[in-house]
Amino acid sequence: TVNGYNGSIVLGEDVENIIADNVVSLTVSATDLITVDITGALDSDEDEEDNLGPAIDLDSHGDLTSVDIDGKTASIRIDNNGNLESITIAGSVQAAAGIFIDNNSDLTSIDVSEATTDKLVVSNNGDLETLTVDFTTAAAIDADGDADDQEGTIDIDTNESLTSLTISTDNVDNLSITDNVDLQTIDLSGMSAIGAAATPALYITGNKLEAEEADEENDDFTESAGMSTAKDYIDAVAANEDAVGEVHFD
């Protein structure tokens, strides 16, 4: 446990659990790491003003089972952790890289309900069966604290066991729900607006979203997969003349 420390934290090989409430810099070389519970913070001791907070990178920790991150962080990358089961992310993830969760084969739980960021990628997590995406979008900032145009990106791709997806995050320019081969139901009823950057790209393909009956001549479908819940968002995307994308049943 490291609380109230305003300096760089280095986790060596024998560290199994870390709890810290004021993380301004984190380097992880621990091979036995099991749990991470940290709160990111801006570094008040830097010669130049710290506007972003720490970049958190948890990659290839074979014993890691749970991650809980709060506070202010620049970006969060969690990938290639074969025993990781649960991730909770809250607070503000401020840089354009956002949150990246990839190739954690045992992952079954992701909670981003209290997070604010402009980008979330969840991909290649083989045991993830259900997912709710309900973070709040906000413009990314750079190291100088200058804000980009709020864009909003959500990529949910190639999670082979995912069967149910709910997204209520709004103000999203880029939405990709692709190649989740078991995905049978979606609920996008909380989505109705694109991002302020207004460069929408929408792809919903390669899943298992099926229509029971199709009247293609009249563009009418009978379905229970939830594709109809995307109508308001699809309309918002289609209203932009520069929009690109592809949406269809599987």
Side-chain angles (χ1 to χ4, degrees):
T1 300
V2 182
N3 288 331
Y5 178 63
N6 197 52
S8 297
I9 298 174
V10 178
L11 302 184
E13 290 188 1
D14 294 329
V15 176
E16 294 184 350
N17 306 287
I18 175 66
I19 300 173
D21 69 352
N22 193 68
V23 177
V24 300
S25 175
L26 181 67
T27 301
V28 183
S29 59
T31 57
D32 297 325
L33 193 63
I34 298 173
T35 66
V36 173
D37 185 351
I38 60 174
T39 300
L42 303 182
D43 188 350
S44 60
D45 290 342
E46 279 197 351
D47 293 335
E48 296 183 6
E49 184 179 4
D50 178 16
N51 294 293
L52 290 173
I56 305 301
D57 188 353
L58 298 171
D59 180 6
S60 301
H61 297 287
D63 293 331
L64 186 63
T65 61
S66 70
V67 173
D68 190 329
I69 301 173
D70 203 341
K72 289 190 175 183
T73 55
S75 59
I76 296 173
R77 184 181 184 94
I78 304 171
D79 55 342
N80 305 309
N81 302 291
N83 283 318
L84 180 61
E85 298 175 353
S86 67
I87 296 173
T88 300
I89 298 174
S92 182
V93 185
Q94 304 191 103
I99 301 168
F100 181 81
I101 300 171
D102 177 73
N103 196 34
N104 303 286
S105 57
D106 285 358
L107 184 63
T108 58
S109 174
I110 298 174
D111 183 352
V112 292
S113 59
E114 299 297 323
T116 298
T117 188
D118 208 34
K119 185 175 184 178
L120 172 69
V121 176
V122 178
S123 56
N124 299 298
N125 301 288
D127 280 357
L128 188 65
E129 295 183 0
T130 63
L131 177 62
T132 297
V133 175
D134 49 359
F135 69 90
T136 301
T137 52
I141 64 173
D142 62 21
D144 295 324
D146 297 325
D148 299 329
D149 288 337
Q150 187 277 319
E151 187 170 12
T153 295
I154 299 173
D155 289 347
I156 311 297
D157 303 321
T158 324
N159 301 284
E160 63 181 19
S161 299
L162 189 66
T163 61
S164 175
L165 173 65
T166 300
I167 303 178
S168 58
T169 297
D170 212 359
N171 303 310
V172 174
D173 260 11
N174 307 303
L175 177 62
S176 175
I177 304 170
T178 62
D179 300 321
N180 305 285
V181 293
D182 279 348
L183 182 59
Q184 300 178 43
T185 60
I186 59 173
D187 183 351
L188 308 187
S189 56
M191 302 185 72
S192 61
I194 62 174
T199 55
L202 170 60
Y203 294 91
I204 304 177
T205 65
N207 306 295
K208 200 176 181 180
L209 301 171
E210 300 175 347
E212 285 83 20
E213 186 176 342
D215 180 357
E216 296 184 8
E217 182 177 347
N218 297 303
D219 196 24
D220 186 32
F221 300 89
T222 301
E223 59 95 18
S224 57
M227 193 74 85
S228 60
T229 67
K231 182 180 185 305
D232 287 348
Y233 180 67
I234 292 172
D235 288 347
V237 170
N240 185 290
E241 62 182 12
D242 296 322
V244 296
E246 180 181 354
V247 176
H248 58 70
F249 288 99
D250 302 298

